[in-house]
């Protein structure tokens, strides 16, 4: 009798030991919580982001993981719904206790989950190009920002086409703030915004807009329209023979409109990007080959997908240098100013003051047959703006988003 | 001056065509048959996708568009026979069922056909008035909208089938007693509604982004036009589209797309408040 109790106890102990061993093994893995929209209006941009993360994780796991620990990804699809973004961010952080949170496409979704990240100990990586200005120690931004995209593109457009600009922008924070940037940079160059239209998301008919543009006769258009419905502008403008040069911070490299619309809809579109599939350096070719081997059906490797891929390696570098997954330890590595990796675009680093990323920027132009040409190579550009206006995350952490009309108090 | 006036008229025609073509199919399925069809957008997507696939396989655009209309219509008939016919006089259930169908179709398309398709481009042709240039294809859209409305009117008011269909919708028991094969009428009416939705997709396919959820862009306009039109869709849809078109066009031109959209939706609320039976109810009351 006694013996059997003892046996049972031993059995239970053994089971307990096994359980805790299993949980140690589970903990041994580094878990990434990933929020990417792979259904809904922007699924076509979100799908490559998921693929980019999965490719990087597969490569890293094959090569022995991060600090010898395998990486696992929990991906949830918020379907471009900000309420779902918040719900899923809470779930990944609180219930799944992920080591790091990555993702978000629109700036609206990023701003929806940033307060949740701020209340946790989880580090967050935002992997898109965006309107810039987020000075938040809990977040690393790995996409391009206005000083890399607008400060390069707008002077070139003004010199090449003229000073009178018409802005068409999606009516939410990305479109509004990018329009502020365009105005600010144009103002310094002596240019004018002669027309500005904000379009509600989901609008697909642009007859009136096209005529407003024809009436205003701008030298070029700043296209900040977002989402599949609003992209219909290009087809409708081409059919009405609008023929005005266009510049953008999100077209071609991000939504691959030149692949989705038949020529000549995107003719004379110019954009500045850190990645586009047409890059043909040896490192880029090698990266594309690996991507297409794993995802043969991918229509276009966009900059979001590329940035998502690079971000996992960025995280790996930080964790291995810090020998920890804790946010404070990773931020210490960033603060040294020596947080760099060799990416397919070249060597890029995280800036200690803003926790944004330097990028190799190129100006690309689309011709009448929708071929993409590199028109100008700007080389490596650091994300300098936040640091210049007074954001220094190594000293204080305001967790604010700034823009040219809303600067930090000195 | 002439260019300005022409531009205003052209923009109105453009908005009118969009409202009418979005709403035509729904006018029959929701307005006449009483099915709150949340899968209306997916019939539109179906028409658009079949059109584009047809063109990519070498069909001329008009033929591909006809194929799109036909496919959407046939799918409509099949859906009616398998699912929808169980849901007459069960409006809440029909909302749930058609919403489910819509989700299955959009996600199914996303999984099987990918997140986007390459467009076929708007047919060439443009003309100039004053300082403005216009795409000729937009006039085709307007003409198609007018013709679709005339066709619906003739079909339901001037043919034997139309009389049987209206009788079936009003009083199926009596219609059946008089020898009308009501199941067949229901199926064909639903098919015609689906085909008209397919027509909308087929016509707009060359001018828009092709993604599995593209039908959603038409849904709001479709429902508000039908609701403002009121119970008698044969009389109500055209004046509804005209009123909403005038409001939206003038606000678009005056204050831009945001105000245009807000203004149109406020107008809808006001119309429903003042004329609960919609435009057609008001027109019929004035007549009698």
């Amino acid at each position: 009798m006694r013996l059997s109790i003892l046996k049972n106890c031993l059995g239970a102990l053994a089971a307990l030991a096994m359980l805790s061993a299993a949980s140690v093994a589970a903990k041994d893995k580094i878990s990434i919580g990933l929020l990417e929209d792979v259904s809904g209006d922007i699924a076509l941009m979100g799908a490559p982001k998921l693929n980019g993360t999965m490719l990087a994780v597969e490569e890293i796991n094959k090569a022995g993981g991060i600090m010898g620990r395998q990486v696992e990804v929990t991906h949830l699809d918020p379907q471009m719904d900000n309420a779902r973004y918040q719900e899923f961010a809470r779930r990944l952080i609180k219930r799944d206790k992920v080591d790091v949170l990555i993702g978000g496409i629109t700036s609206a979704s990023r701003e929806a989950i940033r307060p949740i990240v701020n209340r946790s100990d989880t580090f967050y990586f935002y992997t898109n190009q965006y309107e810039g200005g987020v000075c938040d120690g809990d977040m690393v931004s790995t996409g391009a920002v206005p000083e890399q995209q607008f400060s390069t593109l707008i002077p070139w457009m003004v010199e090449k086409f003229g000073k009178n600009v018409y802005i068409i922008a999606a009516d939410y924070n990305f479109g509004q703030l990018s329009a502020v940037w365009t105005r600010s940079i144009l103002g310094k160059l002596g240019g004018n915004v002669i027309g500005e239209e904000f379009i509600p998301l989901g609008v697909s008919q642009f007859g009136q807009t096209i005529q407003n543009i024809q009436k205003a006769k701008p030298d070029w258009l700043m296209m900040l329209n977002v989402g599949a419905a609003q992209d219909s502008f290009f087809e409708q403008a081409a059919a009405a023979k609008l023929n005005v040069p266009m510049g953008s911070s999100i077209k071609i490299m991000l939504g691959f409109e030149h692949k989705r619309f038949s020529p000549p809809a995107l003719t004379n579109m110019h954009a500045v990007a850190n990645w586009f599939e047409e890059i043909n350096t040896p490192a880029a070719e090698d990266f594309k080959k690996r991507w297409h081997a794993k995802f043969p059906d991918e229509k276009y490797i966009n900059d979001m997908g590329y940035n998502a891929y690079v971000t996992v390696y960025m995280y790996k570098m930080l964790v291995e240098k810090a020998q920890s997954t804790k946010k404070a330890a990773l931020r210490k590595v960033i603060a040294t100013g020596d947080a760099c990796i060799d990416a397919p675009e070249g060597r890029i680093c995280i800036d200690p003051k803003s926790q944004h990323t330097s990028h190799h920027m190129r100006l690309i132009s689309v011709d009448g047959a929708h071929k993409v040409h590199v028109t100008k190579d700007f080389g490596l550009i650091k994300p300098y703006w936040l640091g210049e206006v007074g954001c220094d995350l190594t000293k204080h952490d305001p967790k604010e988003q700034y823009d040219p009309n809303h600067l930090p108090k000195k | 001056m002439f260019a300005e006036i022409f531009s205003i008229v052209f923009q109105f025609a453009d908005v009118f065509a969009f409202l009418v073509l979005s709403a035509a199919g729904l006018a029959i399925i929701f307005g006449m048959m009483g099915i709150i069809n949340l899968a209306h957008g997916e019939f539109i997507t179906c028409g658009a996708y079949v059109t584009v696939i047809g063109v990519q396989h070498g069909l001329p655009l008009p033929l591909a568009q006809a194929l799109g209309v036909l496919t959407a219509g046939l799918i409509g008939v099949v859906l009616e026979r398998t699912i929808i016919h169980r849901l007459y006089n069960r409006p809440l259930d029909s909302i749930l069922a058609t919403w489910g169908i819509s989700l299955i179709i959009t996600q199914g398309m996303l999984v099987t056909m990918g997140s986007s398709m390459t467009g076929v481009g708007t047919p060439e042709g443009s003309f100039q008035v004053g300082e403005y240039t216009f795409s000729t294809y937009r006039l085709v859209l307007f003409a198609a909208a007018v013709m679709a409305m005339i066709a619906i009117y003739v079909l339901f008011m001037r043919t034997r089938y139309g009389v049987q269909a209206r009788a079936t919708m009003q009083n199926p028991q009596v219609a059946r007693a008089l020898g009308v094969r009501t199941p067949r009428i229901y199926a064909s009416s639903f098919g015609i509604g689906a085909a008209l939705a397919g027509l909308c997709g087929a016509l707009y396919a060359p001018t828009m982004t092709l993604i599995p959820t593209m039908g959603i862009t038409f849904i709001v306009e479709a429902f508000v036009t039908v609701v403002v039109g009121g119970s008698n869709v044969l009389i109500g849809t055209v004046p509804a589209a005209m009123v909403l078109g005038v409001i939206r066009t003038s606000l678009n031109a005056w204050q831009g797309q945001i105000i245009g959209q807000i203004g149109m939706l406020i107008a809808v609320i006001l119309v429903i408040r003042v004329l609960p039976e919609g435009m057609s109810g008001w027109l019929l009351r004035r007549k009698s």
Side-chain angles (χ1 to χ4, degrees):
Chain A
M1 183 69 193
R2 261 229 163 117
L3 202 71
S4 75
I5 290 176
L6 199 67
K7 250 183 174 170
N8 278 344
C9 278
L10 274 176
L13 264 174
L16 215 73
M18 263 161 70
L19 249 175
S20 62
S23 73
V24 165
K27 252 208 164 151
D28 234 350
K29 281 193 173 170
I30 287 181
S31 59
I32 294 178
L34 188 66
L35 294 172
E36 304 289 12
D37 307 292
V38 295
S39 56
D41 192 46
I42 49 175
L44 64 104
M45 303 169 202
K49 293 193 78 181
L50 175 60
N51 291 351
T53 306
M54 296 324 269
L55 177 63
V57 167
E58 186 188 274
E59 288 177 3
I60 288 170
N61 279 343
K62 261 191 201 153
I66 298 178
M67 291 194 307
R69 291 162 65 181
Q70 290 286 295
V71 182
E72 64 175 4
V73 178
T74 310
H75 168 244
L76 299 175
D77 174 12
Q79 302 163 32
M80 206 185 167
D81 177 338
N82 292 336
R84 262 195 212 109
Y85 259 101
Q86 297 185 317
E87 182 197 332
F88 289 169
R90 278 192 206 103
R91 183 159 130 195
L92 288 171
I93 291 171
K94 293 214 176 101
R95 198 192 74 184
D96 300 341
K97 302 203 168 24
V98 294
D99 292 302
V100 61
L101 185 68
I102 300 179
I105 294 191
T106 67
S107 291
S109 62
R110 181 198 65 238
E111 290 306 298
I113 59 174
R114 208 153 57 80
I116 295 166
V117 171
N118 290 147
R119 286 194 295 272
S120 77
D121 290 323
T122 311
F123 215 10
Y124 168 51
F125 285 73
Y126 180 60
T127 58
N128 283 20
Q129 68 70 231
Y130 81 111
E131 70 281 0
V134 173
C135 181
D136 185 338
D138 300 333
M139 181 183 110
V140 171
S141 160
T142 56
V145 283
E147 57 268 37
Q148 292 163 329
Q149 293 192 292
F150 287 135
S151 302
T152 46
L153 173 74
I154 295 173
W156 186 86
M157 293 291 287
V158 166
E159 190 180 321
K160 175 111 181 163
F161 300 111
K163 292 185 167 178
N164 296 323
V165 183
Y166 199 105
I167 303 175
I168 295 164
D171 186 30
Y172 74 107
N173 53 357
F174 165 77
Q176 296 276 0
L177 290 176
S178 297
V180 167
W181 271 100
T182 306
R183 271 183 185 282
S184 159
I185 293 170
L186 260 181
K188 285 177 194 146
L189 297 164
N192 315 304
V193 175
I194 58 168
E196 188 173 44
E197 272 185 54
F198 293 100
I199 314 285
L201 286 172
V203 161
S204 66
Q205 301 300 310
F206 290 92
Q208 188 68 49
T209 305
I210 290 164
Q211 280 184 19
N212 294 346
I213 296 167
Q214 291 186 334
K215 198 178 168 72
K217 296 191 183 60
D219 296 318
W220 55 279
L221 304 173
M222 178 57 94
M223 297 305 305
L224 302 166
N225 53 331
V226 172
Q230 293 192 357
D231 281 339
S232 305
F233 171 86
F234 298 113
E235 184 58 49
Q236 291 166 21
K241 299 275 181 288
L242 188 62
N243 291 338
V244 180
M246 299 179 279
S248 179
S249 61
I250 46 173
K251 298 302 159 191
I252 308 305
M253 73 304 222
L254 196 156
F256 47 103
E257 291 77 5
H258 61 306
K259 299 276 179 195
R260 282 161 43 215
F261 292 98
S262 57
L266 268 294
T267 305
N268 220 354
M269 168 66 84
H270 309 271
V272 175
N274 64 311
W275 172 266
F276 42 96
E277 208 193 87
E278 290 83 357
I279 290 189
N280 55 8
T281 62
E285 290 292 353
D286 181 53
F287 166 70
K288 285 190 276 184
K289 209 160 71 194
R290 278 179 281 136
W291 186 298
H292 286 301
K294 186 165 166 64
F295 305 106
D297 292 335
E298 195 78 78
K299 231 178 180 175
Y300 189 85
I301 305 171
N302 66 358
D303 69 330
M304 287 182 174
Y306 163 84
N307 288 338
Y309 171 88
V310 167
T311 298
V312 183
Y313 277 98
M314 202 64 111
Y315 178 69
K316 174 177 190 281
M317 174 273 299
L318 290 176
V319 170
E320 288 182 343
K321 278 201 169 164
Q323 286 296 306
S324 161
T325 55
K326 294 253 180 317
K327 177 160 67 185
L330 301 184
R331 288 195 60 199
K332 263 187 201 147
V333 175
I334 295 174
T336 63
D338 185 28
C340 305
I341 60 163
D342 288 307
E345 72 186 278
R347 190 166 180 78
I348 56 174
C349 304
I350 304 177
D351 167 52
K353 283 185 175 174
S354 63
Q355 296 189 178
H356 284 50
T357 309
S358 61
H359 280 298
H360 190 130
M361 304 306 294
R362 293 175 174 89
L363 194 143
I364 50 176
S365 305
V366 181
D367 69 14
H370 281 193
K371 288 263 176 305
V372 171
H373 304 274
V374 177
T375 317
K376 193 171 174 182
D377 191 333
F378 294 99
L380 192 78
I381 299 182
K382 288 182 179 167
Y384 55 79
W385 184 78
L386 271 170
E388 277 182 10
V389 298
C391 161
D392 189 350
L393 289 168
T394 60
K395 297 206 172 72
H396 50 260
D397 183 1
K399 307 191 195 299
E400 267 264 25
Q401 183 173 15
Y402 301 111
D403 65 69
N405 292 344
H406 171 54
L407 298 173
K409 286 191 193 87
K410 293 253 165 102
Chain B
M1 191 60 205
F2 173 74
E4 293 298 324
I5 293 168
F6 181 83
S7 141
I8 291 166
V9 173
F10 183 91
Q11 290 311 328
F12 166 74
D14 203 42
V15 172
F16 175 82
F18 188 77
L19 291 171
V20 163
L21 288 169
S22 305
L26 195 69
I28 290 171
I29 290 173
F30 171 43
M32 272 179 71
M33 305 178 69
I35 299 284
I36 302 174
N37 180 22
L38 292 183
H40 180 63
E42 281 56 55
F43 288 125
I44 294 177
T45 311
C46 169
Y49 264 62
V50 171
T51 301
V52 170
I53 292 167
V55 172
Q56 282 167 354
H57 283 78
L59 283 183
L61 183 65
L63 214 62
Q65 287 172 323
L67 196 65
V69 175
L70 208 67
T71 311
L74 283 177
I75 291 176
V77 171
V78 172
L79 266 184
E80 201 279 342
R81 285 291 75 198
T82 49
I83 298 167
I84 307 291
H85 79 100
R86 298 164 214 277
L87 301 170
Y88 293 117
N89 303 319
R90 291 164 64 188
L92 288 177
D93 298 343
S94 77
I95 292 179
L96 195 62
T98 52
W99 186 45
I101 293 170
S102 145
L103 291 178
I104 291 167
I105 294 177
T106 46
Q107 290 303 312
M109 284 174 70
L110 182 68
V111 170
T112 55
M113 306 177 71
S115 52
S116 73
M117 251 180 44
T118 306
V120 293
T122 313
E124 280 290 313
S126 62
F127 58 93
Q128 187 159 9
V129 179
E131 56 185 345
Y132 301 119
T133 46
F134 300 93
S135 164
T136 318
Y137 189 72
R138 308 306 293 196
L139 293 181
V140 175
L141 294 177
F142 178 66
V146 173
M147 264 147 57
M149 281 294 110
I150 294 174
I152 292 175
Y153 186 83
V154 170
L155 179 66
F156 284 97
M157 298 302 280
R158 295 273 183 272
T159 66
R160 189 181 168 77
Y161 166 80
V163 174
Q164 291 186 346
R166 281 185 293 140
T168 304
M169 303 312 157
Q170 267 174 21
N171 195 331
Q173 281 81 15
V174 174
R176 210 174 307 132
L178 291 170
V180 177
R181 288 165 146 169
T182 52
R184 211 180 262 191
I185 296 284
Y186 277 123
S188 54
S189 301
F190 196 87
I192 290 169
L196 284 167
L199 175 73
C200 173
L203 286 168
Y204 280 95
T207 74
M208 281 179 63
T209 314
L210 295 160
I211 57 167
T213 50
M214 66 181 288
I216 290 168
T217 33
F218 297 87
I219 274 279
V220 171
E221 276 81 357
F223 270 96
V224 299
T225 310
V226 173
V227 167
V228 169
S231 51
N232 192 324
V233 297
L234 301 173
I235 311 175
T237 307
V238 170
M242 284 170 91
V243 168
L244 296 177
V246 167
I247 292 169
R248 186 166 199 167
T249 313
S250 43
L251 289 178
N252 270 355
W254 178 48
Q255 283 289 315
Q257 292 245 31
I258 301 173
I259 301 296
Q261 200 176 38
I262 293 172
M264 186 182 77
L265 295 176
I266 290 177
V268 172
I269 295 171
L270 290 178
V271 169
I272 297 172
R273 182 70 191 82
V274 181
L275 306 170
E277 291 160 346
M279 302 290 295
S280 59
W282 178 68
L283 286 170
L284 286 174
R285 235 186 312 140
R286 274 191 42 165
K287 221 170 139 190
S288 62

